[in-house]
Amino acid sequence: MTQAGCFYQLSPSLDAFQATMSGLLRPCRISQKSSLHYRTEVSHGSMRPFGLTAIRIGGQARIAVDAHRDMTLLQVPLQGQFVSRDRRGDGLLYGAGLNAQLVDAHSPIDLEFEPATRMLIFNLNDSQIELIGGKAVVEQFTYKNRVIALDNAAGKAFYQLAQFVMREIEVDRAAFFNDGLANRLEDCLLLSLAAALEASPQPCVRSGPVPSYVQRAERFMADRLRDPLTLTDIVEAAGTSARTLHRTFRDVRGDTPLGVLKRMRLERVHAELVGGKCATGDITRVAMSWGFNHMSLFAADYRKQFGLAPSATVIQARRR
């Protein structure tokens, strides 16, 4: 496939997604599936001259992405989160509004997606890399486990710009890529990215190897998302102390056990709302069925995780 023009694909097939992404960006292959049914989405277009690609997997999956001699990737999670592992198996956790990943052309990566994950990918050329600080900066972020932090002023500005780009693509992707808006935004994106790089000294939360008791806790939570679980329930299922479990979840997941449980439940609600079968009047029923009893808090948490209100999700899903 070519990077010229505008391209959009919606498919239930991970194989089709793999072929599409291998043609648009780097060669990749699905290394692990968790379901027979997916709802993959790819939107791609050219921004003078680098490419911009928005993707959604629609299920849990693991994708191995090869190195590419002239393609550096900037990967920004706009919804949900993903884990990126290097060739040694060490993983870094990336979450919407928290951080973003810069991958140099020589680094293969292994990406683990959650059902609700949506990612915006920029592929950068040499001239753009020079504008954001040069190859030494890119390699520093790749090899020293640094990430682009989005929780400071510069990072938030870049993330807000990325969200604006995504909204414009959703409104009219052909107009965005073909009527000049994409080209006018390029310099703003690069300047904002450079500022975010300068303001990102801290290392990312590490996610691997994941201790067995964390995996037990996560399986326990995943199997009982509709139940009124307490921290004591989770600790007992994990088979360790509350202090150890809390500290390790912070280290490898960037959140507390109850925080991870809430994210899991939000993802299930989101999956139902994006299915296109719910009306706005169904939101409370769906949320309560997944353990949310305070609708104002639920709405705030949902917006924080997915970047839009539950009602906006329903409206967008029913228009597709």
Side-chain angles (χ1 to χ4, degrees), residues 3 5 7 24-25 43-47 49-54 74 120-123 162 165-166 169 176-177 182 189:
Q3 292 182 8
F7 174 86
L24 289 174
L25 299 173
S43 184
H44 175 86
S46 178
M47 291 183 69
F50 66 84
L52 178 66
T53 309
L74 168 63
L120 196 60
I121 305 173
F122 302 85
N123 53 292
V165 167
M166 189 69 251
I169 292 174
F176 179 82
F177 288 114
L189 281 163

mmCIF file with all atom_site columns, all heavy atoms in Angstrom, residues 3 5 7 24-25 43-47 49-54 74 120-123 162 165-166 169 176-177 182 189:
data_model
loop_
_atom_site.group_PDB
_atom_site.id
_atom_site.type_symbol
_atom_site.label_atom_id
_atom_site.label_alt_id
_atom_site.label_comp_id
_atom_site.label_asym_id
_atom_site.label_entity_id
_atom_site.label_seq_id
_atom_site.pdbx_PDB_ins_code
_atom_site.Cartn_x
_atom_site.Cartn_y
_atom_site.Cartn_z
_atom_site.occupancy
_atom_site.B_iso_or_equiv
_atom_site.pdbx_formal_charge
_atom_site.auth_seq_id
_atom_site.auth_comp_id
_atom_site.auth_asym_id
_atom_site.auth_atom_id
_atom_site.pdbx_PDB_model_num
ATOM 1   N N   . GLN A 1 3   ? 1.477   5.425  0.974  1.00 0.00 ? 3   GLN A N   1
ATOM 2   C CA  . GLN A 1 3   ? 1.134   6.398  1.999  1.00 0.00 ? 3   GLN A CA  1
ATOM 3   C C   . GLN A 1 3   ? 0.475   7.635  1.416  1.00 0.00 ? 3   GLN A C   1
ATOM 4   O O   . GLN A 1 3   ? 0.127   8.548  2.135  1.00 0.00 ? 3   GLN A O   1
ATOM 5   C CB  . GLN A 1 3   ? 2.380   6.796  2.791  1.00 0.00 ? 3   GLN A CB  1
ATOM 6   C CG  . GLN A 1 3   ? 2.919   5.664  3.637  1.00 0.00 ? 3   GLN A CG  1
ATOM 7   C CD  . GLN A 1 3   ? 4.114   6.088  4.444  1.00 0.00 ? 3   GLN A CD  1
ATOM 8   O OE1 . GLN A 1 3   ? 4.463   7.247  4.503  1.00 0.00 ? 3   GLN A OE1 1
ATOM 9   N NE2 . GLN A 1 3   ? 4.759   5.126  5.075  1.00 0.00 ? 3   GLN A NE2 1
ATOM 10  N N   . GLY A 1 5   ? -2.476  9.961  -0.160 1.00 0.00 ? 5   GLY A N   1
ATOM 11  C CA  . GLY A 1 5   ? -3.908  10.004 -0.045 1.00 0.00 ? 5   GLY A CA  1
ATOM 12  C C   . GLY A 1 5   ? -4.411  9.567  1.308  1.00 0.00 ? 5   GLY A C   1
ATOM 13  O O   . GLY A 1 5   ? -3.719  9.606  2.310  1.00 0.00 ? 5   GLY A O   1
ATOM 14  N N   . PHE A 1 7   ? -6.731  6.616  3.567  1.00 0.00 ? 7   PHE A N   1
ATOM 15  C CA  . PHE A 1 7   ? -7.104  5.199  3.571  1.00 0.00 ? 7   PHE A CA  1
ATOM 16  C C   . PHE A 1 7   ? -7.853  4.886  4.853  1.00 0.00 ? 7   PHE A C   1
ATOM 17  O O   . PHE A 1 7   ? -7.464  5.330  5.927  1.00 0.00 ? 7   PHE A O   1
ATOM 18  C CB  . PHE A 1 7   ? -5.848  4.326  3.469  1.00 0.00 ? 7   PHE A CB  1
ATOM 19  C CG  . PHE A 1 7   ? -6.124  2.846  3.616  1.00 0.00 ? 7   PHE A CG  1
ATOM 20  C CD1 . PHE A 1 7   ? -6.490  2.084  2.516  1.00 0.00 ? 7   PHE A CD1 1
ATOM 21  C CD2 . PHE A 1 7   ? -6.024  2.229  4.844  1.00 0.00 ? 7   PHE A CD2 1
ATOM 22  C CE1 . PHE A 1 7   ? -6.753  0.736  2.650  1.00 0.00 ? 7   PHE A CE1 1
ATOM 23  C CE2 . PHE A 1 7   ? -6.279  0.876  4.992  1.00 0.00 ? 7   PHE A CE2 1
ATOM 24  C CZ  . PHE A 1 7   ? -6.649  0.124  3.882  1.00 0.00 ? 7   PHE A CZ  1
ATOM 25  N N   . LEU A 1 24  ? 1.333   -0.416 5.317  1.00 0.00 ? 24  LEU A N   1
ATOM 26  C CA  . LEU A 1 24  ? 1.382   1.014  5.601  1.00 0.00 ? 24  LEU A CA  1
ATOM 27  C C   . LEU A 1 24  ? 2.636   1.423  6.355  1.00 0.00 ? 24  LEU A C   1
ATOM 28  O O   . LEU A 1 24  ? 3.224   2.470  6.068  1.00 0.00 ? 24  LEU A O   1
ATOM 29  C CB  . LEU A 1 24  ? 0.164   1.425  6.427  1.00 0.00 ? 24  LEU A CB  1
ATOM 30  C CG  . LEU A 1 24  ? -1.191  1.420  5.722  1.00 0.00 ? 24  LEU A CG  1
ATOM 31  C CD1 . LEU A 1 24  ? -2.296  1.721  6.726  1.00 0.00 ? 24  LEU A CD1 1
ATOM 32  C CD2 . LEU A 1 24  ? -1.215  2.425  4.586  1.00 0.00 ? 24  LEU A CD2 1
ATOM 33  N N   . LEU A 1 25  ? 3.034   0.614  7.354  1.00 0.00 ? 25  LEU A N   1
ATOM 34  C CA  . LEU A 1 25  ? 4.139   0.993  8.223  1.00 0.00 ? 25  LEU A CA  1
ATOM 35  C C   . LEU A 1 25  ? 5.213   -0.089 8.210  1.00 0.00 ? 25  LEU A C   1
ATOM 36  O O   . LEU A 1 25  ? 5.827   -0.330 7.190  1.00 0.00 ? 25  LEU A O   1
ATOM 37  C CB  . LEU A 1 25  ? 3.616   1.257  9.646  1.00 0.00 ? 25  LEU A CB  1
ATOM 38  C CG  . LEU A 1 25  ? 2.590   2.395  9.765  1.00 0.00 ? 25  LEU A CG  1
ATOM 39  C CD1 . LEU A 1 25  ? 2.029   2.459  11.174 1.00 0.00 ? 25  LEU A CD1 1
ATOM 40  C CD2 . LEU A 1 25  ? 3.221   3.720  9.389  1.00 0.00 ? 25  LEU A CD2 1
ATOM 41  N N   . SER A 1 43  ? -7.147  4.004  10.120 1.00 0.00 ? 43  SER A N   1
ATOM 42  C CA  . SER A 1 43  ? -7.341  5.225  9.353  1.00 0.00 ? 43  SER A CA  1
ATOM 43  C C   . SER A 1 43  ? -5.972  5.820  9.097  1.00 0.00 ? 43  SER A C   1
ATOM 44  O O   . SER A 1 43  ? -5.209  6.065  10.034 1.00 0.00 ? 43  SER A O   1
ATOM 45  C CB  . SER A 1 43  ? -8.228  6.212  10.120 1.00 0.00 ? 43  SER A CB  1
ATOM 46  O OG  . SER A 1 43  ? -8.489  7.366  9.348  1.00 0.00 ? 43  SER A OG  1
ATOM 47  N N   . HIS A 1 44  ? -5.628  6.041  7.826  1.00 0.00 ? 44  HIS A N   1
ATOM 48  C CA  . HIS A 1 44  ? -4.268  6.466  7.479  1.00 0.00 ? 44  HIS A CA  1
ATOM 49  C C   . HIS A 1 44  ? -4.303  7.577  6.438  1.00 0.00 ? 44  HIS A C   1
ATOM 50  O O   . HIS A 1 44  ? -5.157  7.605  5.557  1.00 0.00 ? 44  HIS A O   1
ATOM 51  C CB  . HIS A 1 44  ? -3.477  5.280  6.920  1.00 0.00 ? 44  HIS A CB  1
ATOM 52  C CG  . HIS A 1 44  ? -2.109  5.652  6.429  1.00 0.00 ? 44  HIS A CG  1
ATOM 53  N ND1 . HIS A 1 44  ? -1.012  5.699  7.265  1.00 0.00 ? 44  HIS A ND1 1
ATOM 54  C CD2 . HIS A 1 44  ? -1.664  6.010  5.197  1.00 0.00 ? 44  HIS A CD2 1
ATOM 55  C CE1 . HIS A 1 44  ? 0.045   6.067  6.556  1.00 0.00 ? 44  HIS A CE1 1
ATOM 56  N NE2 . HIS A 1 44  ? -0.323  6.263  5.307  1.00 0.00 ? 44  HIS A NE2 1
ATOM 57  N N   . GLY A 1 45  ? -3.349  8.489  6.556  1.00 0.00 ? 45  GLY A N   1
ATOM 58  C CA  . GLY A 1 45  ? -3.185  9.532  5.558  1.00 0.00 ? 45  GLY A CA  1
ATOM 59  C C   . GLY A 1 45  ? -1.831  10.182 5.686  1.00 0.00 ? 45  GLY A C   1
ATOM 60  O O   . GLY A 1 45  ? -1.086  9.938  6.643  1.00 0.00 ? 45  GLY A O   1
ATOM 61  N N   . SER A 1 46  ? -1.488  11.015 4.737  1.00 0.00 ? 46  SER A N   1
ATOM 62  C CA  . SER A 1 46  ? -0.177  11.649 4.693  1.00 0.00 ? 46  SER A CA  1
ATOM 63  C C   . SER A 1 46  ? -0.235  13.072 5.224  1.00 0.00 ? 46  SER A C   1
ATOM 64  O O   . SER A 1 46  ? -1.152  13.830 4.917  1.00 0.00 ? 46  SER A O   1
ATOM 65  C CB  . SER A 1 46  ? 0.347   11.672 3.253  1.00 0.00 ? 46  SER A CB  1
ATOM 66  O OG  . SER A 1 46  ? 1.595   12.329 3.178  1.00 0.00 ? 46  SER A OG  1
ATOM 67  N N   . MET A 1 47  ? 0.757   13.415 6.069  1.00 0.00 ? 47  MET A N   1
ATOM 68  C CA  . MET A 1 47  ? 0.916   14.779 6.567  1.00 0.00 ? 47  MET A CA  1
ATOM 69  C C   . MET A 1 47  ? 2.297   15.261 6.142  1.00 0.00 ? 47  MET A C   1
ATOM 70  O O   . MET A 1 47  ? 3.283   14.957 6.769  1.00 0.00 ? 47  MET A O   1
ATOM 71  C CB  . MET A 1 47  ? 0.797   14.836 8.088  1.00 0.00 ? 47  MET A CB  1
ATOM 72  C CG  . MET A 1 47  ? -0.572  14.553 8.640  1.00 0.00 ? 47  MET A CG  1
ATOM 73  S SD  . MET A 1 47  ? -0.626  14.722 10.451 1.00 0.00 ? 47  MET A SD  1
ATOM 74  C CE  . MET A 1 47  ? -0.413  16.488 10.661 1.00 0.00 ? 47  MET A CE  1
ATOM 75  N N   . PRO A 1 49  ? 5.743   15.434 5.106  1.00 0.00 ? 49  PRO A N   1
ATOM 76  C CA  . PRO A 1 49  ? 5.494   14.235 4.303  1.00 0.00 ? 49  PRO A CA  1
ATOM 77  C C   . PRO A 1 49  ? 5.320   12.989 5.171  1.00 0.00 ? 49  PRO A C   1
ATOM 78  O O   . PRO A 1 49  ? 5.283   11.890 4.655  1.00 0.00 ? 49  PRO A O   1
ATOM 79  C CB  . PRO A 1 49  ? 6.777   14.120 3.494  1.00 0.00 ? 49  PRO A CB  1
ATOM 80  C CG  . PRO A 1 49  ? 7.834   14.588 4.454  1.00 0.00 ? 49  PRO A CG  1
ATOM 81  C CD  . PRO A 1 49  ? 7.191   15.626 5.334  1.00 0.00 ? 49  PRO A CD  1
ATOM 82  N N   . PHE A 1 50  ? 5.222   13.127 6.510  1.00 0.00 ? 50  PHE A N   1
ATOM 83  C CA  . PHE A 1 50  ? 5.152   11.899 7.292  1.00 0.00 ? 50  PHE A CA  1
ATOM 84  C C   . PHE A 1 50  ? 3.718   11.374 7.363  1.00 0.00 ? 50  PHE A C   1
ATOM 85  O O   . PHE A 1 50  ? 2.752   12.088 7.118  1.00 0.00 ? 50  PHE A O   1
ATOM 86  C CB  . PHE A 1 50  ? 5.745   12.078 8.697  1.00 0.00 ? 50  PHE A CB  1
ATOM 87  C CG  . PHE A 1 50  ? 5.003   13.010 9.621  1.00 0.00 ? 50  PHE A CG  1
ATOM 88  C CD1 . PHE A 1 50  ? 3.928   12.559 10.354 1.00 0.00 ? 50  PHE A CD1 1
ATOM 89  C CD2 . PHE A 1 50  ? 5.418   14.316 9.785  1.00 0.00 ? 50  PHE A CD2 1
ATOM 90  C CE1 . PHE A 1 50  ? 3.262   13.399 11.240 1.00 0.00 ? 50  PHE A CE1 1
ATOM 91  C CE2 . PHE A 1 50  ? 4.766   15.163 10.669 1.00 0.00 ? 50  PHE A CE2 1
ATOM 92  C CZ  . PHE A 1 50  ? 3.682   14.703 11.387 1.00 0.00 ? 50  PHE A CZ  1
ATOM 93  N N   . GLY A 1 51  ? 3.599   10.098 7.690  1.00 0.00 ? 51  GLY A N   1
ATOM 94  C CA  . GLY A 1 51  ? 2.306   9.458  7.727  1.00 0.00 ? 51  GLY A CA  1
ATOM 95  C C   . GLY A 1 51  ? 1.682   9.518  9.108  1.00 0.00 ? 51  GLY A C   1
ATOM 96  O O   . GLY A 1 51  ? 2.366   9.584  10.125 1.00 0.00 ? 51  GLY A O   1
ATOM 97  N N   . LEU A 1 52  ? 0.369   9.494  9.153  1.00 0.00 ? 52  LEU A N   1
ATOM 98  C CA  . LEU A 1 52  ? -0.393  9.498  10.389 1.00 0.00 ? 52  LEU A CA  1
ATOM 99  C C   . LEU A 1 52  ? -1.394  8.357  10.319 1.00 0.00 ? 52  LEU A C   1
ATOM 100 O O   . LEU A 1 52  ? -2.149  8.245  9.351  1.00 0.00 ? 52  LEU A O   1
ATOM 101 C CB  . LEU A 1 52  ? -1.121  10.835 10.550 1.00 0.00 ? 52  LEU A CB  1
ATOM 102 C CG  . LEU A 1 52  ? -2.021  10.991 11.774 1.00 0.00 ? 52  LEU A CG  1
ATOM 103 C CD1 . LEU A 1 52  ? -1.190  10.971 13.043 1.00 0.00 ? 52  LEU A CD1 1
ATOM 104 C CD2 . LEU A 1 52  ? -2.809  12.287 11.676 1.00 0.00 ? 52  LEU A CD2 1
ATOM 105 N N   . THR A 1 53  ? -1.377  7.493  11.321 1.00 0.00 ? 53  THR A N   1
ATOM 106 C CA  . THR A 1 53  ? -2.240  6.312  11.305 1.00 0.00 ? 53  THR A CA  1
ATOM 107 C C   . THR A 1 53  ? -2.937  6.173  12.653 1.00 0.00 ? 53  THR A C   1
ATOM 108 O O   . THR A 1 53  ? -2.278  6.188  13.688 1.00 0.00 ? 53  THR A O   1
ATOM 109 C CB  . THR A 1 53  ? -1.419  5.035  11.027 1.00 0.00 ? 53  THR A CB  1
ATOM 110 O OG1 . THR A 1 53  ? -0.615  5.232  9.867  1.00 0.00 ? 53  THR A OG1 1
ATOM 111 C CG2 . THR A 1 53  ? -2.341  3.843  10.811 1.00 0.00 ? 53  THR A CG2 1
ATOM 112 N N   . ALA A 1 54  ? -4.250  6.034  12.631 1.00 0.00 ? 54  ALA A N   1
ATOM 113 C CA  . ALA A 1 54  ? -5.033  5.775  13.842 1.00 0.00 ? 54  ALA A CA  1
ATOM 114 C C   . ALA A 1 54  ? -5.512  4.338  13.794 1.00 0.00 ? 54  ALA A C   1
ATOM 115 O O   . ALA A 1 54  ? -6.045  3.891  12.775 1.00 0.00 ? 54  ALA A O   1
ATOM 116 C CB  . ALA A 1 54  ? -6.225  6.726  13.925 1.00 0.00 ? 54  ALA A CB  1
ATOM 117 N N   . LEU A 1 74  ? 6.278   7.247  16.408 1.00 0.00 ? 74  LEU A N   1
ATOM 118 C CA  . LEU A 1 74  ? 5.791   7.884  17.624 1.00 0.00 ? 74  LEU A CA  1
ATOM 119 C C   . LEU A 1 74  ? 4.393   7.342  17.864 1.00 0.00 ? 74  LEU A C   1
ATOM 120 O O   . LEU A 1 74  ? 3.496   7.517  17.034 1.00 0.00 ? 74  LEU A O   1
ATOM 121 C CB  . LEU A 1 74  ? 5.746   9.403  17.455 1.00 0.00 ? 74  LEU A CB  1
ATOM 122 C CG  . LEU A 1 74  ? 4.992   10.183 18.535 1.00 0.00 ? 74  LEU A CG  1
ATOM 123 C CD1 . LEU A 1 74  ? 5.651   10.009 19.889 1.00 0.00 ? 74  LEU A CD1 1
ATOM 124 C CD2 . LEU A 1 74  ? 4.889   11.651 18.166 1.00 0.00 ? 74  LEU A CD2 1
ATOM 125 N N   . LEU A 1 120 ? -2.680  6.503  18.146 1.00 0.00 ? 120 LEU A N   1
ATOM 126 C CA  . LEU A 1 120 ? -2.352  7.384  17.043 1.00 0.00 ? 120 LEU A CA  1
ATOM 127 C C   . LEU A 1 120 ? -0.859  7.230  16.778 1.00 0.00 ? 120 LEU A C   1
ATOM 128 O O   . LEU A 1 120 ? -0.041  7.391  17.694 1.00 0.00 ? 120 LEU A O   1
ATOM 129 C CB  . LEU A 1 120 ? -2.687  8.836  17.401 1.00 0.00 ? 120 LEU A CB  1
ATOM 130 C CG  . LEU A 1 120 ? -2.771  9.861  16.268 1.00 0.00 ? 120 LEU A CG  1
ATOM 131 C CD1 . LEU A 1 120 ? -3.855  9.464  15.273 1.00 0.00 ? 120 LEU A CD1 1
ATOM 132 C CD2 . LEU A 1 120 ? -3.078  11.241 16.837 1.00 0.00 ? 120 LEU A CD2 1
ATOM 133 N N   . ILE A 1 121 ? -0.487  6.880  15.546 1.00 0.00 ? 121 ILE A N   1
ATOM 134 C CA  . ILE A 1 121 ? 0.912   6.603  15.197 1.00 0.00 ? 121 ILE A CA  1
ATOM 135 C C   . ILE A 1 121 ? 1.394   7.621  14.163 1.00 0.00 ? 121 ILE A C   1
ATOM 136 O O   . ILE A 1 121 ? 0.765   7.797  13.118 1.00 0.00 ? 121 ILE A O   1
ATOM 137 C CB  . ILE A 1 121 ? 1.075   5.186  14.617 1.00 0.00 ? 121 ILE A CB  1
ATOM 138 C CG1 . ILE A 1 121 ? 0.508   4.137  15.568 1.00 0.00 ? 121 ILE A CG1 1
ATOM 139 C CG2 . ILE A 1 121 ? 2.543   4.894  14.313 1.00 0.00 ? 121 ILE A CG2 1
ATOM 140 C CD1 . ILE A 1 121 ? 0.481   2.743  14.966 1.00 0.00 ? 121 ILE A CD1 1
ATOM 141 N N   . PHE A 1 122 ? 2.530   8.266  14.454 1.00 0.00 ? 122 PHE A N   1
ATOM 142 C CA  . PHE A 1 122 ? 3.212   9.126  13.493 1.00 0.00 ? 122 PHE A CA  1
ATOM 143 C C   . PHE A 1 122 ? 4.482   8.400  13.047 1.00 0.00 ? 122 PHE A C   1
ATOM 144 O O   . PHE A 1 122 ? 5.227   7.910  13.889 1.00 0.00 ? 122 PHE A O   1
ATOM 145 C CB  . PHE A 1 122 ? 3.621   10.464 14.128 1.00 0.00 ? 122 PHE A CB  1
ATOM 146 C CG  . PHE A 1 122 ? 2.487   11.259 14.698 1.00 0.00 ? 122 PHE A CG  1
ATOM 147 C CD1 . PHE A 1 122 ? 2.025   11.023 15.990 1.00 0.00 ? 122 PHE A CD1 1
ATOM 148 C CD2 . PHE A 1 122 ? 1.876   12.257 13.950 1.00 0.00 ? 122 PHE A CD2 1
ATOM 149 C CE1 . PHE A 1 122 ? 0.982   11.761 16.527 1.00 0.00 ? 122 PHE A CE1 1
ATOM 150 C CE2 . PHE A 1 122 ? 0.830   12.998 14.488 1.00 0.00 ? 122 PHE A CE2 1
ATOM 151 C CZ  . PHE A 1 122 ? 0.385   12.752 15.776 1.00 0.00 ? 122 PHE A CZ  1
ATOM 152 N N   . ASN A 1 123 ? 4.731   8.297  11.747 1.00 0.00 ? 123 ASN A N   1
ATOM 153 C CA  . ASN A 1 123 ? 6.035   7.809  11.311 1.00 0.00 ? 123 ASN A CA  1
ATOM 154 C C   . ASN A 1 123 ? 6.869   8.999  10.829 1.00 0.00 ? 123 ASN A C   1
ATOM 155 O O   . ASN A 1 123 ? 6.463   9.774  9.967  1.00 0.00 ? 123 ASN A O   1
ATOM 156 C CB  . ASN A 1 123 ? 5.921   6.724  10.239 1.00 0.00 ? 123 ASN A CB  1
ATOM 157 C CG  . ASN A 1 123 ? 5.085   7.111  9.047  1.00 0.00 ? 123 ASN A CG  1
ATOM 158 O OD1 . ASN A 1 123 ? 3.886   7.266  9.172  1.00 0.00 ? 123 ASN A OD1 1
ATOM 159 N ND2 . ASN A 1 123 ? 5.712   7.264  7.888  1.00 0.00 ? 123 ASN A ND2 1
ATOM 160 N N   . ALA A 1 162 ? -2.817  16.079 19.848 1.00 0.00 ? 162 ALA A N   1
ATOM 161 C CA  . ALA A 1 162 ? -3.053  14.758 19.250 1.00 0.00 ? 162 ALA A CA  1
ATOM 162 C C   . ALA A 1 162 ? -4.543  14.409 19.296 1.00 0.00 ? 162 ALA A C   1
ATOM 163 O O   . ALA A 1 162 ? -5.091  13.836 18.341 1.00 0.00 ? 162 ALA A O   1
ATOM 164 C CB  . ALA A 1 162 ? -2.229  13.706 19.979 1.00 0.00 ? 162 ALA A CB  1
ATOM 165 N N   . VAL A 1 165 ? -6.305  16.282 16.585 1.00 0.00 ? 165 VAL A N   1
ATOM 166 C CA  . VAL A 1 165 ? -6.075  15.618 15.301 1.00 0.00 ? 165 VAL A CA  1
ATOM 167 C C   . VAL A 1 165 ? -7.033  14.444 15.131 1.00 0.00 ? 165 VAL A C   1
ATOM 168 O O   . VAL A 1 165 ? -7.662  14.262 14.079 1.00 0.00 ? 165 VAL A O   1
ATOM 169 C CB  . VAL A 1 165 ? -4.608  15.150 15.196 1.00 0.00 ? 165 VAL A CB  1
ATOM 170 C CG1 . VAL A 1 165 ? -4.432  14.198 14.019 1.00 0.00 ? 165 VAL A CG1 1
ATOM 171 C CG2 . VAL A 1 165 ? -3.684  16.348 15.041 1.00 0.00 ? 165 VAL A CG2 1
ATOM 172 N N   . MET A 1 166 ? -7.171  13.635 16.178 1.00 0.00 ? 166 MET A N   1
ATOM 173 C CA  . MET A 1 166 ? -8.043  12.466 16.091 1.00 0.00 ? 166 MET A CA  1
ATOM 174 C C   . MET A 1 166 ? -9.495  12.868 15.880 1.00 0.00 ? 166 MET A C   1
ATOM 175 O O   . MET A 1 166 ? -10.204 12.255 15.073 1.00 0.00 ? 166 MET A O   1
ATOM 176 C CB  . MET A 1 166 ? -7.905  11.641 17.377 1.00 0.00 ? 166 MET A CB  1
ATOM 177 C CG  . MET A 1 166 ? -8.591  10.283 17.320 1.00 0.00 ? 166 MET A CG  1
ATOM 178 S SD  . MET A 1 166 ? -7.790  9.132  16.197 1.00 0.00 ? 166 MET A SD  1
ATOM 179 C CE  . MET A 1 166 ? -8.993  9.052  14.863 1.00 0.00 ? 166 MET A CE  1
ATOM 180 N N   . ILE A 1 169 ? -10.015 13.881 12.276 1.00 0.00 ? 169 ILE A N   1
ATOM 181 C CA  . ILE A 1 169 ? -10.039 12.709 11.398 1.00 0.00 ? 169 ILE A CA  1
ATOM 182 C C   . ILE A 1 169 ? -11.404 12.036 11.467 1.00 0.00 ? 169 ILE A C   1
ATOM 183 O O   . ILE A 1 169 ? -11.960 11.614 10.444 1.00 0.00 ? 169 ILE A O   1
ATOM 184 C CB  . ILE A 1 169 ? -8.920  11.721 11.780 1.00 0.00 ? 169 ILE A CB  1
ATOM 185 C CG1 . ILE A 1 169 ? -7.544  12.330 11.474 1.00 0.00 ? 169 ILE A CG1 1
ATOM 186 C CG2 . ILE A 1 169 ? -9.075  10.398 11.041 1.00 0.00 ? 169 ILE A CG2 1
ATOM 187 C CD1 . ILE A 1 169 ? -6.388  11.476 11.964 1.00 0.00 ? 169 ILE A CD1 1
ATOM 188 N N   . PHE A 1 176 ? -9.582  16.260 6.205  1.00 0.00 ? 176 PHE A N   1
ATOM 189 C CA  . PHE A 1 176 ? -8.400  16.486 7.037  1.00 0.00 ? 176 PHE A CA  1
ATOM 190 C C   . PHE A 1 176 ? -7.121  16.264 6.237  1.00 0.00 ? 176 PHE A C   1
ATOM 191 O O   . PHE A 1 176 ? -6.194  17.074 6.270  1.00 0.00 ? 176 PHE A O   1
ATOM 192 C CB  . PHE A 1 176 ? -8.428  15.548 8.244  1.00 0.00 ? 176 PHE A CB  1
ATOM 193 C CG  . PHE A 1 176 ? -7.227  15.687 9.148  1.00 0.00 ? 176 PHE A CG  1
ATOM 194 C CD1 . PHE A 1 176 ? -7.172  16.691 10.099 1.00 0.00 ? 176 PHE A CD1 1
ATOM 195 C CD2 . PHE A 1 176 ? -6.141  14.826 9.037  1.00 0.00 ? 176 PHE A CD2 1
ATOM 196 C CE1 . PHE A 1 176 ? -6.066  16.838 10.926 1.00 0.00 ? 176 PHE A CE1 1
ATOM 197 C CE2 . PHE A 1 176 ? -5.035  14.957 9.858  1.00 0.00 ? 176 PHE A CE2 1
ATOM 198 C CZ  . PHE A 1 176 ? -5.003  15.961 10.808 1.00 0.00 ? 176 PHE A CZ  1
ATOM 199 N N   . PHE A 1 177 ? -7.052  15.164 5.507  1.00 0.00 ? 177 PHE A N   1
ATOM 200 C CA  . PHE A 1 177 ? -5.821  14.828 4.805  1.00 0.00 ? 177 PHE A CA  1
ATOM 201 C C   . PHE A 1 177 ? -5.685  15.513 3.448  1.00 0.00 ? 177 PHE A C   1
ATOM 202 O O   . PHE A 1 177 ? -4.574  15.755 2.984  1.00 0.00 ? 177 PHE A O   1
ATOM 203 C CB  . PHE A 1 177 ? -5.723  13.311 4.610  1.00 0.00 ? 177 PHE A CB  1
ATOM 204 C CG  . PHE A 1 177 ? -5.425  12.557 5.877  1.00 0.00 ? 177 PHE A CG  1
ATOM 205 C CD1 . PHE A 1 177 ? -6.350  11.685 6.431  1.00 0.00 ? 177 PHE A CD1 1
ATOM 206 C CD2 . PHE A 1 177 ? -4.220  12.726 6.531  1.00 0.00 ? 177 PHE A CD2 1
ATOM 207 C CE1 . PHE A 1 177 ? -6.078  10.996 7.596  1.00 0.00 ? 177 PHE A CE1 1
ATOM 208 C CE2 . PHE A 1 177 ? -3.939  12.045 7.699  1.00 0.00 ? 177 PHE A CE2 1
ATOM 209 C CZ  . PHE A 1 177 ? -4.866  11.174 8.237  1.00 0.00 ? 177 PHE A CZ  1
ATOM 210 N N   . ALA A 1 182 ? -4.029  18.946 7.622  1.00 0.00 ? 182 ALA A N   1
ATOM 211 C CA  . ALA A 1 182 ? -2.950  18.081 8.107  1.00 0.00 ? 182 ALA A CA  1
ATOM 212 C C   . ALA A 1 182 ? -1.596  18.750 7.907  1.00 0.00 ? 182 ALA A C   1
ATOM 213 O O   . ALA A 1 182 ? -0.745  18.749 8.805  1.00 0.00 ? 182 ALA A O   1
ATOM 214 C CB  . ALA A 1 182 ? -2.989  16.731 7.389  1.00 0.00 ? 182 ALA A CB  1
ATOM 215 N N   . LEU A 1 189 ? 2.691   20.209 15.558 1.00 0.00 ? 189 LEU A N   1
ATOM 216 C CA  . LEU A 1 189 ? 2.899   18.911 16.191 1.00 0.00 ? 189 LEU A CA  1
ATOM 217 C C   . LEU A 1 189 ? 4.366   18.688 16.529 1.00 0.00 ? 189 LEU A C   1
ATOM 218 O O   . LEU A 1 189 ? 4.712   18.215 17.616 1.00 0.00 ? 189 LEU A O   1
ATOM 219 C CB  . LEU A 1 189 ? 2.392   17.794 15.283 1.00 0.00 ? 189 LEU A CB  1
ATOM 220 C CG  . LEU A 1 189 ? 0.882   17.563 15.286 1.00 0.00 ? 189 LEU A CG  1
ATOM 221 C CD1 . LEU A 1 189 ? 0.465   16.740 14.075 1.00 0.00 ? 189 LEU A CD1 1
ATOM 222 C CD2 . LEU A 1 189 ? 0.450   16.874 16.571 1.00 0.00 ? 189 LEU A CD2 1
#
